[in-house]
Amino acid sequence: MRTQREKLSGAGAQLATEVSINFGSSLAGLLIPVVGSPIVVAARQIVMVIVVLPLARPRLKNLTWARIWPPLGLGLVLAVMNLSFYQAVSMLGLGVAATIEFLGPFALALVTSRRILDFVCAAAAAGGVFLLTWSDGTLDVLGIVLALTAAAAWFCYIVLTRRVATEFAGLEGISIASVVSLVIVVPIALFTLDLSVFTWGVVGLLLLVGVVSSAFPYTLDTYILRRISPRLYAIITSFGPVIAAGFGALVLGETFTLLQQIAIVVVCVAAGAAIATQRDRPISDLELTATAIL
């Protein structure tokens, strides 16, 4: 059974990752018009591998397929999530893209629900996203599709990270995932590489994005998901769109109409209400024993 202190430390760490990721995304928004989203994602993954691999060198010798597929899948999901999200940011802006992407963890929280309240909240969130994407009179279909792809990948990311966190000690699982993601992303980045746009300032920003967007939050996620439930993880994540919109305004100079501001708040409130009113399912004796072993 998780202690109250473990829950508080996990929740605090999750809030810190939300701030870190969205700050990193705003910095990425400055870089994408210069170097392109694949380069930004590749830089994130390179920094992550450099930080994580020396701390948790994976022991592949005794791994079976049943045990190795979750981190392999997590690596694929990381690549898809980051590539699609950053491209969506370049088309929709950070605040809009982050709000749509948040539908992923929201859907995870509702996937087994049968309550009327949850369907009402889901409808409210969908209405908020509709207002957000239509309020300025334009509709970037490809950008919305990419943001929804990132949302689906985020859904899978939470499920797989929890599985990896419970089956691998320390950062071993996330180190395997980071290498897999790097192998997928680097060829795409090399195809779009233009060395003429690189300056020391650009390189420094790319390194900073890698630290605050990948190395710091993703390594913390295995710590977090050992200490808090996916429901609490999703509740805290419901603040993400507001944090993203704030950084979008402060760093990228994005502006939001009153209707867009209302839409972002509606999505966050609907998600928070649906998730916060969920009841925790009873924990079996087997799960209690497994938690005690970790």
Side-chain angles (χ1 to χ4, degrees), residues 135-290:
S135 60
D136 61 355
T138 61
L139 176 65
D140 192 323
V141 176
L142 180 57
I144 292 172
V145 169
L146 287 168
L148 289 172
T149 301
W154 196 358
F155 181 109
C156 298
Y157 168 80
I158 297 173
V159 174
L160 288 171
T161 298
R162 186 164 177 81
R163 173 97 180 241
V164 168
T166 55
E167 292 191 5
F168 289 84
L171 300 175
E172 185 180 354
I174 199 69
S175 69
I176 297 172
S178 65
V179 172
V180 171
S181 181
L182 183 65
V183 169
I184 295 171
V185 168
V186 164
I188 301 173
L190 290 175
F191 183 75
T192 63
L193 181 64
D194 180 5
L195 292 176
S196 66
V197 301
F198 280 82
T199 64
W200 285 113
V202 168
V203 172
L205 273 180
L206 284 170
L207 291 175
L208 182 58
V209 168
V211 171
V212 299
S213 294
S214 286
F216 175 71
Y218 288 155
T219 52
L220 266 188
D221 270 353
T222 55
Y223 169 88
I224 292 164
L225 288 169
R226 289 190 182 102
R227 286 161 177 78
I228 64 175
S229 66
R231 181 168 73 94
L232 181 54
Y233 181 99
I235 291 173
I236 296 170
T237 305
S238 66
F239 295 102
V242 173
I243 297 172
F247 279 123
L250 290 172
V251 178
L252 300 176
E254 294 179 1
T255 58
F256 302 93
T257 66
L258 178 60
L259 196 57
Q260 285 180 315
Q261 294 174 43
I262 292 172
I264 292 172
V265 171
V266 165
V267 172
C268 294
V269 171
I275 299 165
T277 55
Q278 295 279 352
R279 291 183 179 180
D280 290 322
R281 65 180 178 81
I283 300 176
S284 68
D285 292 339
L286 179 60
E287 288 175 308
L288 287 172
T289 302

Side-chain angles (χ1 to χ4, degrees), residues 15-92:
L15 186 58
T17 65
E18 284 301 312
V19 173
S20 181
I21 287 174
N22 285 295
F23 175 58
S25 294
S26 67
L27 296 179
L30 297 174
L31 289 166
I32 290 171
V34 179
V35 300
S37 53
I39 298 295
V40 176
V41 176
R44 282 184 55 168
Q45 294 308 119
I46 289 170
V47 171
M48 187 173 178
V49 168
I50 291 173
V51 171
V52 173
L53 205 57
L55 299 176
R57 191 181 302 275
R59 292 167 293 183
L60 304 177
K61 185 176 180 181
N62 298 319
L63 289 179
T64 61
W65 172 250
R67 193 159 180 257
I68 193 64
W69 78 258
L72 293 180
L74 182 58
L76 174 61
V77 164
L78 276 172
V80 172
M81 181 173 68
N82 290 326
L83 286 169
S84 57
F85 175 68
Y86 279 146
Q87 193 59 40
V89 168
S90 70
M91 297 177 173
L92 303 174

